[in-house]
Amino acid sequence: MGWKGILGFDHGVVQAPLGPDISGPELAAAVANAGGIGLLRLPDWPAPDRVRDLIRRTRSLTERPFGAAIVLAFPHEENLRVVLEEKLAVLQVYWGEFPRERVDEAHLAGVKVLHQVGSFEEAAKAKEAGVDGIIVQGCEAGGHVIGQEGLLSLLPRVVDLVSDTDISVIAAGGIVDGCGYAAALALGAQGVCLGTRFLTTEESFAHPLYKKRLIEINCTDYTNVFGRARWPGAPQRVLKTTFYDQWKNLPEQETEENQPIIGHTIIHGVHRDIRRFAGTVPNATTTGDIDSMVMYAGQGVGLITEIIPANEVVKRNGRLVKAPDPMTQVAINGWPGW
């Protein structure tokens, strides 16, 4: 079962790559040191020197294996080359095609490939490509959501799809604790991918006010209000902040391009202006009107009541799943005699 670990790691807990740079070396290393799969979120533009520096900094914090994540919708070839040259343990890809020849290239470098999908059709392509694991993202997930189907219905279909292979299936979307982990295992997953829970950790590079709002607000919404110009056709799940409630019916023709600047930030070493309705969440360097910026969160945010160390997230999930209640054991293993 998933608590025995996946892909050679101690645990079946994957830390989602939190953009634009929220999952940096400190978070990825902390997860790796706890036996989970920590993932660096790489830049959305060609920055090979920055990628190599991120990897170097992470290796200075852990001797355990870790990985990196690339969004295929943006220029990524130079960054991918560095990941393969550095022979990271895992490459996670998302929002685009990653065919068999690219997977084979990664495997030649000793890098395992996780492809995050939001539909059965995408999962079928990932299976054909020969990936090592498929992250099944339900629409309950926070941030940019690639599909519109719920995890409860999509996950078992993907499990059945790859049942004749060694591909690991990892559940994502609304999962924040061991109870959600156990539910995912009952549906056939071998592991879970947590985003909002790791966003709300001490090592997360999110702005302190963003973390505070994640504790205070327990409702989310599925929308396309933010980042329409930069990433069209990429809906997202966000916290229902006061600002969002005021602007959730923003006319479709409005984008961030013609909006006033409400703040400034540094992302992967690059200074950026933040305009109203931009898709950029506030990181620890951000200044300005933080409460008017987008705050991504999954539907499980209401279960998060405190900011804790990342290694504690991994440990708590492991403990709860290793010793589930009797009915959860039945859900995972079946009734005696079945």
Side-chain angles (χ1 to χ4, degrees):
M1 279 299 174
W3 59 83
K4 295 180 180 178
I6 54 174
L7 304 178
F9 289 77
D10 294 345
H11 296 287
V13 177
V14 181
Q15 164 248 306
L18 306 167
D21 61 351
I22 304 301
S23 56
E26 292 75 18
L27 179 55
V31 174
N33 284 331
I37 302 179
L39 296 174
L40 294 168
R41 176 60 155 79
L42 301 187
D44 290 336
W45 60 90
D49 291 341
R50 177 68 177 185
V51 172
R52 211 175 295 276
D53 180 63
L54 288 170
I55 294 170
R56 178 189 60 79
R57 287 165 53 197
T58 308
R59 284 178 171 156
S60 74
L61 298 172
T62 183
E63 297 180 351
R64 305 294 294 272
F66 61 92
I70 288 173
V71 179
L72 299 170
F74 298 106
H76 58 270
E77 290 296 335
E78 293 184 38
N79 299 342
L80 174 60
R81 174 176 53 81
V82 175
V83 171
L84 301 187
E85 288 175 354
E86 294 289 337
K87 299 184 182 299
L88 294 188
V90 175
L91 167 68
Q92 192 252 34
V93 294
Y94 181 42
W95 214 286
E97 300 284 338
F98 205 72
R100 178 170 287 275
E101 55 266 27
R102 304 314 303 268
V103 174
D104 289 345
E105 182 183 2
H107 286 167
L108 283 174
V111 179
K112 294 177 180 177
V113 178
L114 293 176
H115 197 141
Q116 182 164 300
V117 305
S119 69
F120 183 83
E121 292 74 21
E122 281 187 295
K125 291 180 181 179
K127 175 186 178 182
E128 180 63 27
V131 300
D132 302 278
I134 296 176
I135 300 176
V136 181
Q137 184 196 54
C139 64
E140 303 90 344
H144 293 94
V145 183
I146 196 170
Q148 298 185 19
E149 191 169 350
L151 185 63
L152 187 65
S153 57
L154 180 59
L155 179 59
R157 296 178 65 206
V158 177
V159 169
D160 289 344
L161 172 71
V162 302
S163 60
D164 58 344
T165 73
D166 294 326
I167 296 173
S168 297
V169 178
I170 300 157
I175 302 170
V176 299
D177 57 22
C179 294
Y181 191 168
L185 293 176
L187 291 171
Q190 286 86 46
V192 291
C193 183
L194 310 181
T196 309
R197 176 63 275 189
F198 280 115
L199 176 61
T200 322
T201 59
E202 294 175 2
E203 296 86 352
S204 156
F205 198 54
H207 193 282
L209 185 58
Y210 183 9
K211 295 183 186 182
K212 186 172 185 287
R213 294 292 180 259
L214 289 165
I215 300 297
E216 295 173 341
I217 302 172
N218 58 20
C219 293
T220 66
D221 202 9
Y222 180 81
T223 182
N224 74 337
V225 165
F226 300 98
R228 289 173 177 172
R230 180 177 177 272
W231 197 353
Q236 60 273 172
R237 182 170 296 282
V238 304
L239 271 183
K240 293 187 71 174
T241 62
T242 300
F243 174 83
Y244 171 73
D245 279 337
Q246 291 173 343
W247 293 96
K248 61 185 177 182
N249 295 317
L250 185 72
E252 288 293 329
Q253 69 273 16
E254 293 286 341
T255 75
E256 69 274 22
E257 287 187 325
N258 60 351
Q259 298 297 319
I261 294 172
I262 61 171
H264 305 275
T265 191
I266 303 172
I267 300 172
H268 290 301
V270 179
H271 291 257
R272 306 273 190 180
D273 296 332
I274 298 181
R275 295 186 180 274
R276 187 170 58 186
F277 309 131
T280 304
V281 297
N283 68 18
T285 74
T286 305
T287 59
D289 186 0
I290 306 299
D291 270 321
S292 294
M293 297 177 189
V294 63
M295 296 184 180
Y296 300 134
Q299 285 187 340
V301 68
L303 296 169
I304 300 173
T305 59
E306 58 183 339
I307 299 169
I308 59 176
N311 68 342
E312 189 65 22
V313 174
V314 178
K315 290 177 182 177
R316 289 185 184 184
N317 274 274
R319 279 201 303 267
L320 284 169
V321 174
K322 285 178 181 177
D325 63 84
M327 288 310 298
T328 301
Q329 292 185 35
V330 168
I332 295 173
N333 300 313
W335 290 98
W338 275 15

